[in-house]
Amino acid sequence: MRENKYFSIYQEWAEKIKAGELKPGEILPSENEMAEKYQTSRETIRKALNLLSQNGFIQKIKGKGSIVLDINKMSLPFSGIISFKEVTASLGIDVKTIVYEFGLIKPDLFLQKQLQTSAKEEIWKVVRARKLNNERVILDKDYFIKKYVPLLTKEICERSIYEYLEGELNLKISFAKKEILVEECTAEDRKYLDLKDFTHIVVVKNFVYLEDATLFQYTESRHRLDKFRFVDFARRGL
Amino acid sequence: MRENKYFSIYQEWAEKIKAGELKPGEILPSENEMAEKYQTSRETIRKALNLLSQNGFIQKIKGKGSIVLDINKMSLPFSGIISFKEVTASLGIDVKTIVYEFGLIKPDLFLQKQLQTSAKEEIWKVVRARKLNNERVILDKDYFIKKYVPLLTKEICERSIYEYLEGELNLKISFAKKEILVEECTAEDRKYLDLKDFTHIVVVKNFVYLEDATLFQYTESRHRLDKFRFVDFARRGL
DNA sequence: TAGTGGTCTAGACCACCGA
DNA sequence: CGGTGGTCTAGACCACTAG
């Protein structure tokens, strides 16, 4: 995929740690050794190791070395911007997706604010429920600005929209802002989800930006209380 | 504080952006210009700019430059490991802390698992409620391993434990794993919080590690549903 | 003291963007 | 085309850890 030297070194060691070839507590070869081994400079090795550190694979300790962390305890840094399909696939869960709404709309005032766009802009609206173990527990409401996503079909929505955007449309997602809070259930929630007698619902609002810092998607992911879980790995300072 | 060249350059520009001296959409001086201005190498400038990028202040675009993002829309990357006091102080909210429990305990099985420690280990237990606008809406249950925190007093708990740990004890917090989920309210929640008729509560579990990757604290922060909000800024890929 | 990671330098070549 | 950021190099000095 990306063929940077430092990135492939990062991947190689990330794989080794994930596969358990290196146990938690073990120390990696020193930066000088690795620079020698890969026939590269130490700064390049350091970029790879910094990635491992940022993603919770290792801890670098001055004067000692880089020690492997317990990624099971870290529970994978799945905090980032990953799509629903990526999460469930990596956990091996069987999921069904039901598309309830699909089409082009003009944004109302709320959407104009969220997407920072005008009333004339055309927007794709997609409403989907996610079924785990035969229960509809997550409601995803996606809004894409048509300017950046010219074509979308119901079939794509039933699979993974992100695979399509990044794979076929070659859109480059750059960063996202997430906001998590709890709201009272709406009539729509009750209509499209198997809510039992829960009165509230966890809402994850997601603003997704492209490489040139333009906002192109707003998503509301509404999770039944008992099925919500969010994990975050963070380094202090920087 | 830290007197790295790249870190102080990072701080300088972060301040400028926070203060609004640079408006969203403006572009920063090029890396070469800055290297010239600060009489340093371009790699050092790049380290500073990468920090700005990772923390949501700017977006770097190949061939164009570094453009300022709207940090209000980003809502500050307060996703990291910050203490309650830091958050509220930065938002200018008035908060009172009530200490309900304070003392040394031996860990039960649950705590032994969470803190990865033996039954003989001594643990500081602190239970505090946070009062916003005269309502107790957050219950913080902190557990510190005494080995790393020899002394703790009720007075410190009423202020900020983290100020004490980092300032006076000079403990270096390195990283943390956060887990967010929703549970049913317990009798303890009802006893120490003004819960109204909420049946569930947002639980933030926090595992905090020191520089040498040893776990030294486990915290459960229990938020009343209507008062919970979590913001996260994440870059895709890396 | 020898080895480690942390910072920094002064170059280099490349892919990308705008005029 | 010139300027931008992205990658990479081969050094250097430092602070820290361990034996």
Side-chain angles (χ1 to χ4, degrees):
Chain A
M1 170 185 224
R2 261 202 279 178
E3 53 212 86
N4 301 338
K5 207 173 280 191
Y6 76 87
F7 189 74
S8 61
I9 296 174
Y10 158 71
Q11 283 185 309
E12 183 177 329
W13 288 89
E15 286 310 318
K16 283 186 189 175
I17 293 171
K18 277 191 269 188
E21 285 181 53
L22 282 88
K23 304 268 178 266
E26 282 191 73
I27 64 179
L28 270 56
S30 79
E31 298 179 349
N32 285 316
E33 284 179 271
M34 293 188 81
E36 173 71 19
K37 176 181 168 193
Y38 288 98
Q39 281 297 296
T40 184
S41 73
R42 194 165 75 106
E43 282 291 351
T44 299
I45 297 295
R46 298 193 88 254
K47 279 185 188 168
L49 295 187
N50 283 336
L51 278 184
L52 290 170
S53 169
Q54 282 166 30
N55 290 62
F57 289 102
I58 65 170
Q59 174 76 357
K60 308 182 77 176
I61 303 179
K62 214 186 311 201
K64 282 175 90 171
S66 301
I67 79 176
V68 176
L69 294 177
D70 191 336
I71 49 170
N72 291 332
K73 291 208 181 56
M74 296 303 123
S75 238
L76 310 193
F78 96 64
S79 64
I81 319 165
I82 34 181
S83 73
F84 186 77
K85 185 153 189 180
E86 289 174 81
V87 178
T88 52
S90 69
L91 297 177
I93 300 173
D94 179 49
V95 188
K96 291 216 174 65
T97 296
I98 307 164
V99 180
Y100 282 115
E101 284 186 48
F102 168 78
L104 278 171
I105 61 164
K106 301 284 183 183
D108 57 17
L109 279 173
F110 173 75
L111 276 181
Q112 285 172 43
K113 177 165 171 277
Q114 300 297 75
L115 284 168
Q116 297 162 62
T117 189
S118 78
K120 303 193 304 292
E121 195 76 53
E122 282 193 300
I123 309 285
W124 290 108
K125 175 179 183 182
V126 183
V127 178
R128 296 176 291 179
R130 312 293 195 166
K131 205 170 191 172
L132 274 82
N133 301 325
N134 227 27
E135 272 188 316
R136 297 166 301 168
V137 292
I138 302 175
L139 187 66
D140 277 349
K141 301 171 70 174
D142 294 271
Y143 303 92
F144 302 89
I145 297 179
K146 183 161 183 288
K147 206 189 317 179
Y148 306 112
V149 187
L151 179 67
L152 202 60
T153 70
K154 204 175 170 188
E155 288 66 42
I156 294 169
C157 297
E158 280 162 353
R159 304 167 167 279
S160 170
I161 295 183
Y162 261 54
E163 263 173 36
Y164 169 68
L165 295 179
E166 297 203 288
E168 312 211 13
L169 237 49
N170 204 26
L171 278 183
K172 302 248 173 81
I173 282 92
S174 167
F175 61 92
K177 180 203 149 192
K178 232 190 263 301
E179 189 178 337
I180 304 176
L181 40 81
V182 180
E183 294 181 356
E184 287 187 30
C185 295
T186 64
E188 189 182 41
D189 296 329
R190 267 182 273 273
K191 184 172 165 195
Y192 293 138
L193 294 179
D194 299 310
L195 268 191
K196 296 188 174 172
D197 52 358
F198 291 106
T199 57
H200 289 72
I201 194 159
V202 178
V203 181
V204 181
K205 301 183 177 188
N206 214 350
F207 302 83
V208 186
Y209 294 78
L210 297 175
E211 262 192 331
D212 61 354
T214 56
L215 178 61
F216 94 107
Q217 177 194 5
Y218 169 69
T219 294
E220 257 185 47
S221 202
R222 307 173 71 87
H223 301 243
R224 202 173 76 187
L225 292 187
D226 60 329
K227 292 299 180 186
F228 177 74
R229 182 167 175 269
F230 179 83
V231 179
D232 187 50
F233 172 82
R235 291 201 167 266
R236 175 123 177 147
L238 317 155
Chain B
M1 168 186 229
R2 262 203 277 178
E3 55 213 86
N4 302 337
K5 206 174 281 191
Y6 76 87
F7 189 75
S8 62
I9 295 173
Y10 158 71
Q11 282 185 309
E12 184 177 330
W13 289 90
E15 286 309 318
K16 283 186 189 175
I17 294 171
K18 277 192 269 189
E21 284 181 53
L22 282 87
K23 305 264 177 270
E26 282 191 73
I27 62 179
L28 269 55
S30 80
E31 297 179 348
N32 285 317
E33 283 179 271
M34 293 187 82
E36 173 71 17
K37 175 181 169 191
Y38 287 98
Q39 281 297 297
T40 184
S41 72
R42 190 161 76 102
E43 282 292 352
T44 299
I45 297 295
R46 299 194 87 256
K47 279 186 188 166
L49 296 186
N50 283 336
L51 278 184
L52 289 170
S53 169
Q54 282 165 29
N55 289 60
F57 289 102
I58 64 171
Q59 175 75 356
K60 308 181 79 179
I61 303 178
K62 215 188 309 201
K64 281 177 88 172
S66 301
I67 79 176
V68 177
L69 294 178
D70 191 336
I71 50 171
N72 292 330
K73 291 208 181 56
M74 295 305 124
S75 241
L76 306 195
F78 98 67
S79 63
I81 319 165
I82 33 182
S83 72
F84 186 77
K85 184 152 189 180
E86 290 174 80
V87 178
T88 52
S90 69
L91 297 178
I93 300 174
D94 179 50
V95 189
K96 291 216 174 64
T97 297
I98 307 164
V99 180
Y100 283 115
E101 284 187 48
F102 169 77
L104 278 171
I105 61 165
K106 301 283 185 186
D108 57 17
L109 279 174
F110 173 75
L111 275 181
Q112 286 171 43
K113 177 164 171 277
Q114 300 298 74
L115 284 167
Q116 298 163 61
T117 188
S118 79
K120 303 194 303 293
E121 196 75 55
E122 282 193 300
I123 309 284
W124 290 107
K125 176 179 183 182
V126 182
V127 178
R128 295 176 291 178
R130 313 293 196 166
K131 206 170 191 172
L132 275 82
N133 301 327
N134 227 28
E135 274 189 317
R136 297 166 299 167
V137 293
I138 303 174
L139 187 66
D140 277 350
K141 301 170 70 174
D142 295 271
Y143 304 91
F144 302 89
I145 298 178
K146 182 160 183 291
K147 207 189 314 177
Y148 307 112
V149 187
L151 178 67
L152 201 60
T153 70
K154 204 175 172 189
E155 287 66 42
I156 295 169
C157 297
E158 281 162 353
R159 301 166 169 280
S160 170
I161 295 182
Y162 261 54
E163 263 174 36
Y164 170 68
L165 295 179
E166 297 203 288
E168 310 209 15
L169 237 50
N170 205 23
L171 278 182
K172 302 249 174 78
I173 282 92
S174 166
F175 60 91
K177 181 202 149 193
K178 230 189 265 300
E179 190 178 338
I180 302 176
L181 40 81
V182 181
E183 293 181 357
E184 288 187 30
C185 295
T186 65
E188 190 182 39
D189 296 328
R190 268 182 272 271
K191 185 172 163 195
Y192 293 138
L193 294 179
D194 299 310
L195 269 189
K196 295 187 175 173
D197 51 357
F198 291 107
T199 57
H200 289 72
I201 193 159
V202 178
V203 182
V204 180
K205 302 183 177 189
N206 214 351
F207 301 82
V208 186
Y209 294 78
L210 298 174
E211 262 192 332
D212 61 353
T214 55
L215 178 61
F216 94 107
Q217 176 194 7
Y218 169 69
T219 293
E220 256 186 48
S221 201
R222 307 172 73 86
H223 300 243
R224 201 172 78 185
L225 292 188
D226 60 329
K227 293 298 180 185
F228 176 74
R229 182 165 174 269
F230 179 83
V231 178
D232 188 50
F233 172 82
R235 291 203 167 266
R236 176 122 176 145
L238 319 156

